[in-house]
Amino acid sequence: MRWNLRLTAANKGIWKASELQRSLAERGLVISAGKMSGLWSGQPVSLKLEDLDVICVVLGCEIGDLLIPEPEKVRRPGQAEETERAAVGAGTAAPKVIPKRRDGRSLPPE
């Protein structure tokens, strides 16, 4: 998913995080400056569903305006291994694995 708060806010005429922060506070959602910065400039790690409701009301938008699906980023199980095998088959040698003891010293040659 891609977080699209900044563009959605701009489409509603809100150009500054502090302006959105004030509007959210008027609706009962008080957000710290640090969390607001994360919401505005990045992708939030977590967000309560109730907070999303308030954001949608303030911006007059739907959840689909804030969260943009990116299905191309979803991998099938085993897809990473297939890609690595294809790279090895294309002439890229896999790194040599050298076993070591737990203390970090090399094992004696056999």
Side-chain angles (χ1 to χ4, degrees):
M1 287 286 180
R2 182 169 42 101
W3 181 239
N4 197 35
L5 176 67
R6 203 167 183 168
L7 182 60
T8 303
N11 287 334
K12 302 299 178 180
I14 298 175
W15 300 98
K16 294 181 180 179
S18 59
E19 188 179 345
L20 179 58
Q21 187 176 17
R22 278 190 299 277
S23 296
L24 293 172
E26 290 171 3
R27 293 288 185 146
L29 178 57
V30 178
I31 298 179
S32 69
K35 185 170 181 178
M36 190 67 217
S37 176
L39 289 174
W40 189 256
S41 62
Q43 183 135 345
V45 175
S46 66
L47 195 57
K48 293 179 183 176
L49 294 176
E50 298 85 27
D51 295 352
L52 280 173
D53 280 335
V54 176
I55 292 169
C56 286
V57 167
V58 167
L59 295 178
C61 68
E62 299 291 325
I63 193 68
D65 297 325
L66 295 173
L67 296 170
I68 309 298
E70 296 179 303
E72 68 278 0
K73 289 187 176 181
V74 177
R75 290 191 176 146
R76 295 185 329 234
Q79 185 176 8
E81 294 88 16
E82 292 171 15
T83 305
E84 290 169 8
R85 279 194 292 265
V88 170
T92 307
K96 186 176 179 181
V97 177
I98 302 172
K100 293 191 177 203
R101 297 174 17 161
R102 289 184 186 218
D103 60 9
R105 296 185 297 169
S106 296
L107 292 172
E110 293 181 10

